[in-house]
Amino acid sequence: MITVQDIYKSFGDNEVLRGISAKFEPGKISLIIGGSGSGKSTLLKCMVGLHEPNKGKVLYQDQDFTRMNFEERIPIRKEIGMLFQNSALFDSMTVEENITFPLQMFSDMSKKERIDRANFCLERVNLEGRNELFPAELSGGMKKRVGIARAIAMTPKYLFCDEPNSGLDPRTSIVIDELIQDITEEYNTTTVVVTHDMNSVMGIGQYILFLYQGEKRWEGSNKEIAHTDVEELNDFVFASPFMKIAKEKF
Amino acid sequence: MFFTSFGKYLLLLKSVFKKPEKASIYWKEIMHEMNSIGVGSLGLIAIISTFIGAVMTMQIAFQLVSDLIPNSIIGQINRDSSILELSPTISALVLAGKVGSSISSQIGSMRVTEQIDALEIMGINAPGYLILPKILAGVTMVPVLVILSIFLALSGGLVGGSLSGAVTASDYIMGITGDFNGYTVAVALVKAFVFGFVITSVAAYHGFYVKGGALEVGQASTQGVVVSCIMILATDYILTALML
Ligand SMILES: Nc1ncnc2c1ncn2[C@@H]1O[C@H](COP(=O)(O)OP(=O)(O)O)[C@@H](O)[C@H]1O
Ligand SMILES: [Mg+2]
């Protein structure tokens, strides 16, 4: 369980997050949605410690992550897996080296055990046998899947994904969403996904946090989202003519 | 402005010199960097040093038109100026361009593609893992390259000087072997060590704090080269003043 309490974050004069509070539960996918520039990535980065919030707390179980220094954070960091928006694979390493890198750095596994683990993770994301390819040789969807394989290499308790579907075709997007969902259920991870993809919202949004200009404007589930009367959320969800038609049918 | 950047640079160095997570991985990286800095720059340093040695010899001969001074002095001047100034400083300036720009653009592109964030999320000390091996490779390989550069500058002088008739081979050899003061080599090595540190750390600093995209990575690497060149010349002056 991750608890975010009253987070404020600004860059210079630009107040990006204003008093965000939320709870993210294990075994569940939580989505952070909102328009471009609404502060979604910033919130995610505050949660994992890539940004330090100006005010407020981030708790992992009941440990205050915000007040820890780099060394104190390492045990929690080892339980975090993150999928980045552009995958952020290490481009000087092969697919296999990307996945085994955290294991090599932090575990006492033998080389054989590490490779077995990499093969297991690759199989999990349907990329068996691609061990020796370099990131530059992969398509966008394959990169995301390797990113997921790397994120789950250390069997994380917390999984963060920043726009896992951006730049992917609708079919591949759904494959990635399903993968995230399966992993969440299988390992009971606390999964937090930043997205603005409406298919994901409707498909996997068990808990949804809607940000509008750095504030929490709505929270609820995908079942409830169609029936909200929050104007900004309606504008966001039913922006396209297609979604407007879909709304009539709900 | 200067002081905030310098402070940031010092803080970065502080995290660079934290205890490595796992020695074996760092060791592999150090070997890799030593190879890329050392072997990768051999050819360039060799060509430049040989030609500068040859040209210097001819130029010294041209300026020393007096029967009162023995011709062997030409070799001696070439030797001392190569050891004390030309080999360390010119090698360092060239390496600041070649090695420095590749370090800043490598680290800078890792920054803008979030690879550095990915390292940090894993709990890895990114400055240590990315920068320490480069600095260690720099402070060992730049001195090696400078020693090589000195030898080639002296050989270049021999070949260039005798081919052009500026000085006979025997006079030149008498000059470079006579009256040798080992302290000059120590000065050259200290300079090379410091330059190796400046080139790698300044370039890494400029790459590490890039914000933006590919364009900014290019700008940062150019700026890194300019700043290291200035730092090299400034430390060259200070070290010469202190040691000679
Ligand atoms: N590192 C940063 N430095 C300065 N401003 C930033 C930084 N990161 C994000 N911002 C600003 O914060 C705002 C929200 O950005 P972000 O969280 O990336 O939005 P989203 O992910 O919702 O599209 C934007 O106005 C952006 O310019
Ligand atoms: Mg974003």
Side-chain angles (χ1 to χ4, degrees):
Chain A
M1 161 107 98
I2 306 172
T3 317
V4 168
Q5 287 175 357
D6 203 26
I7 294 272
Y8 283 80
K9 175 70 187 172
S10 30
F11 297 104
D13 294 336
N14 184 6
E15 237 190 354
V16 177
L17 296 177
R18 285 175 288 176
I20 310 284
S21 300
K23 273 194 165 67
F24 303 93
E25 289 169 18
K28 214 170 172 182
I29 300 187
S30 306
L31 301 183
I32 301 173
I33 64 171
S36 254
S38 56
K40 305 181 296 292
S41 297
T42 306
L43 177 57
L44 200 68
K45 287 183 176 171
C46 284
M47 289 172 68
V48 296
L50 289 174
H51 287 324
E52 301 304 326
N54 300 99
K55 211 186 120 200
K57 281 187 199 168
V58 177
L59 307 177
Y60 283 78
Q61 315 300 5
D62 23 273
Q63 292 173 279
D64 188 349
F65 188 70
T66 11
R67 298 183 58 178
M68 296 179 185
N69 65 25
F70 185 86
E71 276 75 21
E72 290 164 341
R73 283 176 178 179
I74 290 177
I76 293 179
R77 285 260 161 87
K78 288 186 193 164
E79 302 187 319
I80 293 180
M82 182 153 176
L83 173 62
F84 286 85
Q85 193 162 347
N86 298 304
S87 304
L89 301 178
F90 303 123
D91 40 34
S92 60
M93 300 182 194
T94 62
V95 165
E96 181 181 289
E97 287 165 343
N98 261 283
I99 300 170
T100 53
F101 184 70
L103 304 172
Q104 208 180 347
M105 204 56 130
F106 291 117
S107 77
D108 296 319
M109 285 182 172
S110 68
K111 185 158 187 204
K112 165 139 194 338
E113 287 171 315
R114 292 198 301 263
I115 293 174
D116 285 347
R117 179 74 193 154
N119 287 333
F120 172 82
C121 295
L122 280 174
E123 213 167 291
R124 195 70 200 70
V125 299
N126 295 319
L127 282 176
E128 2 357 30
R130 307 302 175 93
N131 303 45
E132 299 307 319
L133 294 180
F134 279 92
E137 301 170 302
L138 304 175
S139 70
M142 285 160 82
K143 278 188 195 160
K144 297 267 182 184
R145 285 188 279 161
V146 176
I148 294 178
R150 181 177 69 181
I152 61 173
M154 302 267 287
T155 37
K157 267 165 84 173
Y158 311 100
L159 182 63
F160 296 90
C161 309
D162 195 354
E163 311 223 355
N165 303 319
S166 70
L168 299 182
D169 61 87
R171 259 189 83 91
T172 316
S173 290
I174 291 171
V175 170
I176 299 282
D177 280 351
E178 285 172 352
L179 195 52
I180 293 172
Q181 186 158 35
D182 291 349
I183 287 165
T184 305
E185 285 166 8
E186 227 172 287
Y187 303 112
N188 198 35
T189 55
T190 305
T191 303
V192 183
V193 178
V194 164
T195 187
H196 53 225
D197 184 279
M198 285 320 299
N199 287 323
S200 309
V201 172
M202 294 308 182
I204 58 171
Q206 291 168 291
Y207 165 78
I208 300 166
L209 172 68
F210 174 62
L211 294 186
Y212 183 77
Q213 295 181 354
E215 286 175 11
K216 175 166 94 178
R217 195 50 69 88
W218 186 84
E219 63 189 329
S221 72
N222 53 359
K223 310 243 161 23
E224 296 158 346
I225 202 165
H227 310 294
T228 164
D229 41 13
V230 175
E231 199 178 321
E232 293 89 356
L233 180 58
N234 264 314
D235 288 350
F236 176 78
V237 176
F238 302 107
S240 72
F242 174 77
M243 288 302 289
K244 286 199 183 92
I245 297 168
K247 185 175 186 187
E248 313 278 296
K249 309 257 184 227
F250 273 122
Chain B
M1 187 58 208
F2 168 78
F3 287 103
T4 44
S5 306
F6 191 65
K8 223 165 129 189
Y9 169 76
L10 292 181
L11 284 178
L12 179 66
L13 287 181
K14 199 178 135 205
S15 7
V16 166
F17 289 102
K18 272 189 193 154
K19 190 174 172 299
E21 290 90 353
K22 203 161 201 175
S24 60
I25 296 185
Y26 276 67
W27 186 244
K28 205 177 115 208
E29 288 297 311
I30 293 171
M31 289 298 135
H32 175 78
E33 296 298 337
M34 282 173 83
N35 186 44
S36 102
I37 295 176
V39 180
S41 314
L42 265 179
L44 185 62
I45 293 294
I47 292 172
I48 291 174
S49 308
T50 313
F51 275 90
I52 288 185
V55 171
M56 277 296 290
T57 304
M58 293 189 280
Q59 208 167 300
I60 296 162
F62 171 74
Q63 288 179 310
L64 276 183
V65 275
S66 163
D67 294 336
L68 298 176
I69 305 171
N71 267 346
S72 64
I73 211 84
I74 296 170
Q76 206 172 330
I77 295 177
N78 186 36
R79 180 193 69 201
D80 289 346
S81 46
S82 292
I83 295 177
L84 282 173
E85 177 66 7
L86 293 174
S87 281
T89 311
I90 292 183
S91 302
L93 293 173
V94 168
L95 291 172
K98 184 177 182 296
V99 173
S101 65
S102 104
I103 289 178
S104 335
S105 47
Q106 188 207 333
I107 295 182
S109 66
M110 289 187 76
R111 165 63 74 196
V112 302
T113 56
E114 296 181 312
Q115 292 177 53
I116 293 183
D117 289 346
L119 285 172
E120 269 172 24
I121 289 283
M122 291 176 183
I124 292 166
N125 174 24
Y129 173 70
L130 292 176
I131 303 176
L132 184 64
K134 292 181 167 61
I135 292 183
L136 293 182
V139 297
T140 48
M141 292 320 282
V142 174
V144 171
L145 288 170
V146 165
I147 293 292
L148 177 88
S149 158
I150 291 170
F151 274 106
L152 288 172
L154 296 186
S155 332
L158 176 64
V159 176
S162 45
L163 278 183
S164 67
V167 55
T168 62
S170 61
D171 277 348
Y172 182 82
I173 289 170
M174 195 195 295
I176 62 173
T177 48
D179 247 347
F180 176 67
N181 182 352
Y183 182 65
T184 55
V185 176
V187 175
L189 288 177
V190 170
K191 283 187 178 181
F193 180 90
V194 174
F195 295 161
F197 184 85
V198 167
I199 293 167
T200 46
S201 63
V202 170
Y205 165 80
H206 280 87
F208 200 81
Y209 290 112
V210 175
K211 279 203 177 76
L215 182 68
E216 284 82 3
V217 172
Q219 287 167 345
S221 98
T222 310
Q223 207 196 349
V225 171
V226 172
V227 173
S228 343
C229 287
I230 295 170
M231 294 263 292
I232 286 167
L233 296 171
T235 46
D236 185 33
Y237 178 85
I238 294 168
L239 287 175
T240 309
L242 287 177
M243 296 185 70
L244 291 185

